[in-house]
Amino acid sequence: MPEFSFDVVSEFNPAELTNALDQARREVGTRYDFKDSHTVYDHTGSVIAIESASEDRAKAALQVLREKAARRQLSPKLFQAGEPKTVGKGRGQIEVQLNAGITDELARDLRKRIQNVTPKVQVRIQGDQLRVVSKDKDSLQLVIKALREAEDIPVPLQFTNYR
């Protein structure tokens, strides 16, 4: 009897993130409410620093980035914003961590959730991804549905290599 499987991963397309950042920069540059705010998006590694004329303008710039990212199929869970803080001359800054990747602790939690959905599946943790295997396609569909509907998972999940 054949076995069916899929992988659970947490990743994002860096090209789409770059496009979303470029679109956000363009919109902030043309919108009237951002006039003379000198808003800057600085992306280095897994951190995006948003700096603007005030903390409120920085929050609004973060919202613009989230909207542009959503249009490019990037999950809102990807952006973990820190507290806004005031930097030199009253300017506001927000540091946004890119929240992707499955940690060991999260992998164990996901394994428990999957086993609670249906005991018919086998779950193997393979580095930063989980392989879910079953002889029944319906069990795999149930697992995907349960993981998509879970709101308390802190990272965006994708389901790849469905066979």
Side-chain angles (χ1 to χ4, degrees), residues 68-125:
K68 298 302 177 187
R71 287 191 184 150
R72 301 204 144 272
Q73 277 72 46
L74 293 173
S75 172
K77 291 181 181 180
L78 178 64
F79 304 104
Q80 191 130 27
E83 287 297 312
K85 58 187 177 195
T86 304
V87 292
K89 296 183 182 174
R91 291 181 60 77
Q93 182 181 29
I94 298 177
E95 285 194 359
V96 181
Q97 294 285 330
L98 295 178
N99 188 20
I102 298 177
T103 62
D104 291 339
E105 183 179 319
L106 181 60
R108 287 191 291 275
D109 178 49
L110 290 174
R111 177 193 277 171
K112 284 181 193 169
R113 288 175 191 247
I114 292 169
Q115 293 296 339
N116 288 341
V117 171
T118 175
K120 294 180 183 179
V121 298
Q122 297 174 349
V123 182
R124 285 180 247 139
I125 299 173

Side-chain angles (χ1 to χ4, degrees), residues 33-101:
D33 57 337
F34 283 103
K35 187 175 183 179
D36 296 329
S37 68
H38 303 291
T39 302
V40 179
Y41 292 93
D42 184 26
H43 177 224
T44 53
S46 65
V47 176
I48 300 171
I50 302 172
E51 190 174 316
S52 191
S54 68
E55 288 183 13
D56 289 339
R57 286 294 95 210
K59 286 180 189 175
L62 172 62
Q63 187 60 35
V64 169
L65 175 62
R66 284 186 170 144
E67 289 169 6
K68 298 302 177 187
R71 287 191 184 150
R72 301 204 144 272
Q73 277 72 46
L74 293 173
S75 172
K77 291 181 181 180
L78 178 64
F79 304 104
Q80 191 130 27
E83 287 297 312
K85 58 187 177 195
T86 304
V87 292
K89 296 183 182 174
R91 291 181 60 77
Q93 182 181 29
I94 298 177
E95 285 194 359
V96 181
Q97 294 285 330
L98 295 178
N99 188 20

Side-chain angles (χ1 to χ4, degrees), residues 3 5 111 122-127 129-133:
E3 280 194 338
S5 68
R111 177 193 277 171
Q122 297 174 349
V123 182
R124 285 180 247 139
I125 299 173
Q126 301 174 331
Q129 69 181 21
L130 277 76
R131 167 80 40 96
V132 182
V133 181

